[in-house]
Amino acid sequence: MAQPGEKRKREDEVENGGAGDTEPSLGTEHPLSGFKLQSVLRESARDKTIFLHGQVPVSGEGQSAEDAVVILERAPFQADTVSRLLGNNPELKLQLKNDIYSVYHLNPPPELNEVKTTIIRPATEKHVKKYLRQELYLIQETGEDYKNITLPFIESQSFSIQWVFNILEKKAEQDRIVYENPDPAAGFILLPDFKWNQKQVDDLYLIAICHPRGIKSLRDLNGDHLPLLKNILHEGQAAILKRYNVQGNQLRIYLHYQPSYYHLHVHFVALGHEAPGITVERAHLLSDVIQSLELDSQYYTKRALTYALRADEPLLQKFKEAGRC
């Protein structure tokens, strides 16, 4: 699970933590010039992704090198590139043949062999730990646990979400906005998450970031927020239908708890896409959240919420110290 308060996959994210951070100001310098690999944090053969920790030399900054996390991910196949690839008699190296079945290795040309590369630089220790493979533990957080353990922990940390405010104030990513309701109390901005390359709708992924500030997570929601949540649900669906021709009943629309950063946001994901964070111990369908608040305006201040924490997360230690896990 993402470190509490860490940004979505722009931190984080890039979700995968998340729409994504503004890019570091590196001028014309290559962001990985002189990169030296320190360790492989994690890899997934299933997702064709590897997470690397290394260092990049820094000039004129009073230090010799800075940490970087690099995420390499194979780009998804697209119909037009597959047609070009297979239609040009590609070189095939036979690996196995048995009756009607044969397995080959195919080496695509460079223009069809794209690797999505996400760079977090300078990376903090929290970034490195975020992507390091860790054991997971389930926590059942009651309303009292939130007030006595989780909330004090959140308030004691310095989790920066300036990049969120940059989006809301149109200081960054303005050209990526798909839809906006500018109402300061019940409005939001909808934009693509950086985990989505926007080349096919099968893995569509957008994020709605609410305009009102101070709503950290699901725990802060009450009946007064129903107009905001309903706007996000209905206007978000309408905007995606208009732009991408994807129906509302073809979308998985949910909030995370714990979230990857503490400013209320909602995920819009193609129903057939197995995006990170859609597991039952983390994702809460927006339609269910709305219904729960209609039944009890204080529902999320009372309900016990179950979620996973990584072995190295300080919040897990707080629960252990309180004898709650």
Side-chain angles (χ1 to χ4, degrees):
M1 161 169 177
Q3 185 86 358
E6 294 282 286
K7 57 189 176 181
R8 58 189 153 137
K9 199 171 178 182
R10 43 164 89 239
E11 148 230 297
D12 13 345
E13 153 254 52
V14 176
E15 132 221 49
N16 316 340
D21 253 346
T22 52
E23 296 181 357
S25 178
L26 296 174
T28 58
E29 174 193 356
H30 191 287
L32 291 177
S33 177
F35 177 80
K36 292 184 178 180
L37 178 65
Q38 303 293 310
S39 63
V40 175
L41 301 174
R42 176 159 47 98
E43 56 185 317
S44 171
R46 179 179 180 273
D47 297 329
K48 307 295 188 296
T49 305
I50 189 167
F51 300 80
L52 307 173
H53 171 221
Q55 291 194 321
V56 180
V58 177
S59 58
E61 297 291 338
Q63 63 186 87
S64 59
E66 62 185 11
D67 285 313
V69 170
V70 179
I71 305 167
L72 301 179
E73 178 182 359
R74 289 287 185 181
F77 288 108
Q78 300 172 48
D80 59 339
T81 57
V82 169
S83 298
R84 289 166 52 202
L85 179 62
L86 299 180
N88 294 326
N89 298 323
E91 178 185 352
L92 296 172
K93 296 181 180 179
L94 181 64
Q95 303 297 310
L96 178 150
K97 185 171 179 61
N98 184 348
D99 192 33
I100 65 173
Y101 302 100
S102 54
V103 178
Y104 298 86
H105 280 185
L106 185 157
N107 294 315
E111 66 272 15
L112 299 180
N113 199 23
E114 178 181 309
V115 175
K116 179 181 176 182
T117 304
T118 302
I119 302 169
I120 303 171
R121 174 189 172 195
T124 66
E125 182 181 355
K126 289 182 180 180
H127 292 120
V128 175
K129 286 184 176 180
K130 171 185 171 66
Y131 296 110
L132 183 66
R133 187 184 182 281
Q134 294 279 340
E135 295 295 329
L136 295 173
Y137 298 88
L138 281 179
I139 296 295
Q140 188 173 63
E141 177 193 275
T142 66
E144 288 300 309
D145 289 335
Y146 177 74
K147 288 187 291 185
N148 297 330
I149 303 172
T150 307
L151 183 58
F153 170 77
I154 293 171
E155 292 177 338
S156 70
Q157 306 299 302
S158 56
F159 299 133
S160 174
I161 54 172
Q162 182 58 48
W163 61 271
V164 175
F165 301 149
N166 288 343
I167 292 174
L168 295 175
E169 296 168 5
K170 310 291 178 57
K171 295 178 180 178
E173 304 187 40
Q174 186 173 355
D175 59 329
R176 303 181 69 246
I177 295 174
V178 170
Y179 176 83
E180 179 181 13
N181 177 331
D183 189 298
F188 65 97
I189 283 178
L190 181 70
L191 71 168
D193 191 284
F194 273 143
K195 290 186 285 293
W196 182 37
N197 63 15
Q198 302 183 61
K199 294 182 179 179
Q200 60 279 315
V201 297
D202 288 347
D203 54 354
L204 176 146
Y205 199 143
L206 294 98
I207 296 289
I209 303 176
C210 75
H211 271 301
R213 305 188 184 190
I215 310 174
K216 294 183 290 296
S217 73
L218 200 61
R219 284 292 191 192
D220 287 339
L221 293 174
N222 58 52
D224 293 339
H225 298 118
L226 283 168
L228 166 66
L229 299 177
K230 290 180 178 180
N231 284 348
I232 291 175
L233 177 62
H234 300 305
E235 294 177 21
Q237 288 177 318
I240 289 174
L241 176 61
K242 181 178 180 180
R243 173 70 68 91
Y244 304 108
N245 197 32
V246 177
Q247 302 282 344
N249 59 6
Q250 295 177 299
L251 296 169
R252 182 183 289 110
I253 307 170
Y254 57 92
L255 298 82
H256 280 151
Y257 191 81
Q258 287 275 334
S260 53
Y261 55 97
Y262 289 105
H263 180 98
L264 189 76
H265 57 285
V266 177
H267 304 252
F268 287 74
V269 180
L271 190 57
H273 177 43
E274 296 185 10
I278 62 171
T279 50
V280 294
E281 69 272 14
R282 192 176 183 199
H284 298 257
L285 291 174
L286 178 56
S287 57
D288 289 350
V289 172
I290 290 172
Q291 185 177 24
S292 296
L293 291 172
E294 287 176 333
L295 293 171
D296 182 348
S297 65
Q298 298 300 317
Y299 182 84
Y300 289 102
T301 65
K302 305 172 185 177
R303 180 189 161 176
L305 297 174
T306 300
Y307 54 88
L309 289 175
R310 290 156 47 106
D312 66 339
E313 292 193 59
L315 182 56
L316 179 63
Q317 184 60 36
K318 295 294 184 183
F319 271 84
K320 289 181 178 179
E321 292 170 357
R324 293 291 294 124
C325 68

